Amino acid sequence: MTIPRRSWRAAGTYAAVAVAGLTGAVLCAGPAAAHTPTWAVTCTDVSLDLTAYNGGVTNQVTVSVDGKDLLPTETFGREFHKKLELPQHDKELTVHLVVKAGDGDQFSKDETKTAPVCADNTPKPTPTESESKPAEKPTTAAPTPSATPSESSPETAPAAASPSPSSDLAETGSSSATPIIGGAAVAVLLAGGGIMWSVRKRRTAQH
């Protein structure tokens, strides 16, 4: 049996349309399945791994912590990888990720995660004044060492005052008035001798 050429042409056209339709569906489904915004939050950092995005458009990513920018808006192409360090904190932090895909809002991402508190960052209770200062140990006063004899010779005692002549005479039985008495005695003897000489002269003159 012979098949008309028109039938072959019609069948070829339908096949071409079907192939084109399938190709378009695959191309459209490809980007949707390819966008992979992976991110993780720990007590110390935020890890971003955005892969398989459309490199022909401009994509954007922003990360904020408790309303403050941790990563200001940055643009990227097919991939974006970055690790962001979180500030030290003593309470949980709210981390907000926003990814805007340039090829459609359906590929964008807006998600929030919580950063826990690290175990070693837990604030320690403030010690009271009595606890902060160590108890003072009672100290035993060391006995004051007695004055040790100096190796140098002791200071010379002040020289005793030299005794006056009068004191020496007193010690030997004499007196300071002895010369005066002696002089008086000599004067008396002389006077006596003079008197006796005068008497004898008068007696001689009478005879």
Side-chain angles (χ1 to χ4, degrees):
M1 183 178 67
T2 303
I3 300 176
R5 292 182 177 178
R6 290 182 180 179
S7 299
W8 283 106
R9 289 178 181 177
T13 301
Y14 291 138
V17 171
V19 171
L22 289 173
T23 302
V26 171
L27 292 175
C28 292
H35 295 73
T36 310
T38 303
W39 69 304
V41 177
T42 66
C43 70
T44 58
D45 53 58
V46 178
S47 300
L48 301 176
D49 292 293
L50 312 178
T51 59
Y53 276 78
N54 187 349
V57 296
T58 299
N59 305 299
Q60 296 180 341
V61 57
T62 304
V63 179
S64 61
V65 176
D66 287 347
K68 298 179 181 180
D69 284 342
L70 182 64
L71 174 67
T73 302
E74 286 195 19
T75 59
F76 66 98
R78 183 173 178 78
E79 296 182 356
F80 184 86
H81 304 278
K82 199 162 193 176
K83 179 175 283 189
L84 307 171
E85 185 176 353
L86 290 171
Q88 291 187 354
H89 51 282
D90 55 6
K91 62 180 181 179
E92 293 183 343
L93 300 178
T94 301
V95 184
H96 186 201
L97 169 70
V98 177
V99 179
K100 291 184 179 181
D103 52 357
D105 290 340
Q106 67 274 22
F107 307 130
S108 297
K109 190 176 188 68
D110 190 326
E111 194 169 274
T112 299
K113 291 186 179 182
T114 301
V117 178
C118 295
D120 56 351
N121 284 346
T122 304
K124 298 179 181 179
T126 304
T128 60
E129 184 177 355
S130 59
E131 293 176 351
S132 60
K133 294 182 178 179
E136 295 182 358
K137 296 181 180 179
T139 56
T140 303
T144 304
S146 59
T148 56
S150 174
E151 294 180 0
S152 60
S153 58
E155 293 182 1
T156 305
S162 300
S164 62
S166 60
S167 62
D168 290 341
L169 293 174
E171 291 177 359
T172 57
S174 301
S175 175
S176 59
T178 299
I180 300 174
I181 296 173
V186 172
V188 170
L189 289 176
L190 293 176
I195 294 172
M196 290 179 67
W197 180 76
S198 298
V199 170
R200 287 179 180 181
K201 187 175 182 181
R202 288 178 181 179
R203 285 178 179 178
T204 301
Q206 290 176 1
H207 289 293

